């Protein structure tokens, strides 16, 4: 569970302020040094969410008394083992809570809050550019334009399924922000990711003369 704060990736499951760097291995996006916690029940997951939420950076602005100053990403990896065939299936559910775009004229952000708002808006623009590139079938998808889009690359590639929820305000004073959010969601909705693929590792065949289950 990490947050992307001012284009820096920070682990939310540890009290240290260590900055994580993205590493690429083939088609996999890695975060060396990230803390991984094993969960076996809903209560375990709830506790992880609580720890991460407490460590996430928030601050008050003119618009919100407790505003998220970062994007949050939680990655849950599930492995299933087929006892009959011996095959192992692996899948990752990535949950992302995007910080909302900000109009400085309304939030009246200054100093540190202004720097945070600029980083948030820039990364959201980069995400919109990725959606546009995917929608129009461009050869180059600008995933590396921000840490947010780089981390979300496996979720937005051709081997995944993605679902987006757009939150808007019903207040008339926020009409321009609501329209902007709906346009953002509409752009994302037109992206065709293709059919999702299973990640299955089949059991290696037993070689003649090799060990068997009886230990002979």
């Amino acid at each position: 569970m990490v947050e992307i704060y001012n284009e820096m990736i920070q682990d939310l499951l540890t009290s240290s302020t260590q900055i994580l760097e993205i590493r690429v291995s083939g088609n996999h996006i890695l975060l060396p040094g990230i803390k991984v916690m094993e969960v076996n029940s809903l209560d375990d997951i709830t506790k992880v969410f609580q720890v991460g939420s407490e460590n996430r950076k928030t601050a008050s602005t003119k618009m919100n008394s407790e505003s998220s100053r970062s994007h949050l990403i939680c990655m849950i990896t599930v492995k299933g083992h087929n006892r009959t065939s011996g095959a192992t299936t692996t899948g990752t559910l990535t949950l992302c809570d995007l910080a909302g775009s900000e109009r400085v004229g309304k939030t009246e952000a200054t100093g540190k809050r202004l720097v945070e708002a600029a980083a948030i808006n820039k990364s959201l623009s980069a995400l919109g550019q990725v959606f546009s590139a995917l929608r129009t079938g461009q050869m180059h998808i600008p995933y590396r334009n921000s840490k947010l889009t780089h981390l979300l690359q496996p979720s937005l590639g051709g081997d995944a399924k993605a679902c987006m929820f757009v939150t808007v305000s019903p207040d008339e004073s926020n009409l321009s922000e609501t329209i902007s959010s709906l346009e953002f969601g509409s752009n994302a909705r037109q992206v065709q990711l293709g059919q999702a693929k299973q990640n299955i590792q089949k059991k290696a065949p037993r070689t003649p003369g090799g060990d068997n289950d009886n230990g002979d």
Side-chain angles (χ1 to χ4, degrees):
M1 193 172 186
V2 301
E3 70 173 352
I4 303 174
Y5 174 74
N6 287 351
E7 276 301 289
M8 296 182 295
I9 304 174
Q10 296 184 326
D11 197 332
L12 291 177
L13 299 183
T14 175
S15 58
S16 69
T17 57
Q18 178 184 3
I19 304 300
L20 301 175
E21 296 296 334
I22 297 176
R23 295 288 182 268
V24 179
S25 176
N27 295 325
H28 299 283
I29 303 296
L30 308 176
L31 290 172
I34 190 174
K35 183 173 182 179
V36 178
M37 299 181 67
E38 182 175 347
V39 292
N40 297 297
S41 67
L42 180 59
D43 287 341
D44 290 343
I45 296 177
T46 300
K47 290 177 182 177
V48 170
F49 283 160
Q50 290 175 343
V51 171
S53 297
E54 290 174 359
N55 289 332
R56 188 180 183 185
K57 293 178 178 59
T58 60
S60 61
T61 67
K62 190 71 174 181
M63 295 291 293
N64 297 287
S65 59
E66 189 173 336
S67 173
S68 299
R69 312 311 295 166
S70 66
H71 306 297
L72 180 145
I73 296 181
C74 180
M75 295 156 283
I76 304 174
T77 300
V78 181
K79 291 185 178 180
H81 183 67
N82 188 317
R83 295 181 180 177
T84 302
S85 66
T88 299
T89 304
T90 304
T92 299
L93 172 65
T94 301
L95 305 174
C96 178
D97 178 27
L98 297 173
S101 60
E102 296 187 2
R103 296 182 185 274
V104 177
K106 281 192 173 182
T107 61
E108 297 183 7
T110 59
K112 187 177 181 179
R113 301 287 88 82
L114 182 60
V115 174
E116 294 167 347
I120 290 171
N121 292 342
K122 183 177 180 180
S123 58
L124 291 175
S125 295
L127 182 58
Q129 292 166 4
V130 167
F131 288 151
S132 296
L134 289 170
R135 178 172 54 85
T136 56
Q138 296 181 19
M139 294 295 294
H140 172 69
I141 310 299
Y143 289 118
R144 300 197 181 199
N145 282 4
S146 77
K147 297 291 180 62
L148 173 66
T149 52
H150 202 176
L151 268 185
L152 291 181
Q153 181 175 349
S155 301
L156 301 176
D159 295 343
K161 285 291 185 182
C163 180
M164 172 182 283
F165 295 89
V166 178
T167 304
V168 297
S169 169
D171 196 287
E172 186 176 356
S173 64
N174 296 322
L175 178 61
S176 60
E177 288 87 351
T178 295
I179 292 176
S180 177
S181 296
L182 291 175
E183 289 176 343
F184 186 84
S186 179
N187 191 17
R189 188 174 183 269
Q190 298 176 50
V191 174
Q192 299 293 328
L193 294 183
Q195 186 175 0
K197 298 179 182 179
Q198 288 184 313
N199 183 7
I200 300 178
Q201 183 178 359
K202 295 183 179 180
K203 184 178 180 181
R206 187 174 297 172
T207 57
D211 295 338
N212 58 36
D213 293 339
N214 297 323
D216 295 334

